Amino acid sequence: MAPIFAPFTADGSLNLKVVKTYAAHLKKEGVAGVWVNGSVGEGMSLTVQERKALAEAWLACREDVPTVIVHCGAVCLKDALELARHAEDHRASGVAVVPPLYDRPATTDDLVDYMQEVAKACPRTPLFYYHYPSKTGVNLSMSEFLQKGVKRIPTLAGMKFTDEDVSDEGRKCVQVDGGSLTIFSGFDQDSAVGGWGETGVGLGGLERQSTLQEALSVGFSCSVNAGFNFVSHLGARVYSLMAAGDVHEAKKVQKQFNDCFDVILSPDVYELTLMVPSPAVGL
């Protein structure tokens, strides 16, 4: 699944005209699902109306990308509920939310309480928690949250796990409820340059990041990776090699993935991207 970039015009308004072309590009690359209004998509920087408009544009492209999960997390709970209702009304495949970002949940019970409120706004739609502690500052035990959540939230379907602790906590999350939940890995690469949106800790960070290959090795079976927008063939190759048990070759392809991001996220390239429109505009 690809976390989509929000396309903009030169004046900063959304360029919704390119979404259909963007969706066709993803279909051609073999990507069958999108994550809308996430970190790569700058969802937290958009207005509620902009987020609705972008979600509708992608939901109109389900012939090309059948699975559309809409991130509805917001600083204001009322905004999150409004976005969740909107996503359900337009038949989104799933709703995802980050935790409260100012008065953060102190316990997993607090987080379950919050997710219950969101679930009430979209009772017929699978609900996913978006775990991204380096952005949200909320770093509770996700396996404990899931264990409690499945008992209290009927529509809780899983989470997007954008956390470096893939081998320990990530593995535990995959195993919750007998492995019945959908746990997306949020990592593409392991890069000393730093991450980009869904893929890491922020440009220039030197913190170690987990990789797609590592996530697959501990039991993850699906992912939401920014690289699927432009080097999806490498991600697909990692998947197929790991499924075949060829870990050595999968690590070699993962290295190619890493090298791509090292170039894309280098300071010189990042400064250049600040001077040009969003990548989707040029599709």
Side-chain angles (χ1 to χ4, degrees):
M1 178 173 285
I4 58 94
F5 293 93
F8 296 99
T9 63
D11 67 3
S13 59
L14 285 174
N15 187 2
L16 299 177
K17 295 178 182 179
V18 305
V19 170
K20 187 172 180 59
T21 305
Y22 194 169
H25 159 75
L26 292 177
K27 180 181 180 181
K28 182 180 178 182
E29 294 298 310
V31 177
V34 292
W35 182 278
V36 180
N37 290 328
S39 300
V40 159
E42 303 178 68
M44 298 299 289
S45 299
L46 301 178
T47 67
V48 169
Q49 292 308 312
E50 286 174 326
R51 292 174 69 171
K52 287 182 178 180
L54 191 54
E56 289 177 23
W58 277 100
L59 287 162
C61 295
R62 278 174 289 193
E63 287 188 5
D64 288 331
V65 282
T67 301
V68 181
I69 295 179
V70 181
H71 172 242
C72 301
V75 175
C76 173
L77 175 59
K78 289 183 179 180
D79 288 346
L81 300 182
E82 180 179 345
L83 289 165
R85 281 190 290 267
H86 176 267
E88 177 162 282
D89 288 344
H90 289 78
R91 304 187 310 280
S93 307
V95 165
V97 290
V98 292
L101 301 178
Y102 190 76
D103 291 314
R104 301 182 179 96
T107 68
T108 53
D109 287 317
D110 291 342
L111 184 55
V112 172
D113 289 344
Y114 181 81
M115 294 295 288
Q116 276 188 306
E117 291 303 308
V118 177
K120 292 175 185 176
C122 51
R124 299 178 303 279
T125 304
L127 181 64
F128 297 87
Y129 176 63
Y130 186 2
H131 177 55
Y132 198 170
S134 64
K135 289 285 190 182
T136 65
V138 176
N139 198 13
L140 303 169
S141 168
M142 287 296 98
S143 56
E144 180 180 298
F145 159 72
L146 289 172
Q147 288 165 357
K148 294 177 179 179
V150 293
K151 297 175 181 178
R152 294 171 51 191
I153 307 171
T155 55
L156 183 63
M159 72 166 52
K160 181 167 181 284
F161 190 87
T162 309
D163 190 324
E164 295 161 12
D165 192 12
V166 169
S167 295
D168 185 15
E169 189 62 20
R171 187 196 301 266
K172 293 177 183 177
C173 289
V174 170
Q175 296 172 346
V176 169
D177 201 36
S180 65
L181 300 175
T182 299
I183 311 297
F184 294 101
S185 165
F187 296 99
D188 298 271
Q189 91 291 6
D190 182 356
S191 171
V193 175
W196 185 10
E198 265 78 0
T199 63
V201 296
L203 191 76
L206 297 178
E207 217 169 329
R208 182 190 176 280
Q209 298 172 50
S210 300
T211 67
L212 173 60
Q213 184 276 325
E214 181 184 354
L216 296 177
S217 74
V218 300
F220 283 77
S221 61
C222 51
S223 58
V224 180
N225 293 151
F228 293 161
N229 284 286
F230 41 84
V231 283
S232 59
H233 63 289
L234 293 179
R237 184 68 175 148
V238 173
Y239 267 98
S240 61
L241 288 167
M242 289 298 292
D246 193 346
V247 176
H248 177 72
E249 190 64 26
K251 287 183 176 180
K252 289 171 62 176
V253 178
Q254 180 68 60
K255 175 64 165 55
Q256 296 177 44
F257 223 157
N258 297 349
D259 290 345
C260 287
F261 275 91
D262 284 347
V263 172
I264 294 168
L265 297 172
S266 67
D268 290 342
V269 173
Y270 177 69
E271 289 175 9
L272 179 62
T273 64
L274 296 179
M275 300 163 22
V276 299
S278 176
V281 174
L283 290 173

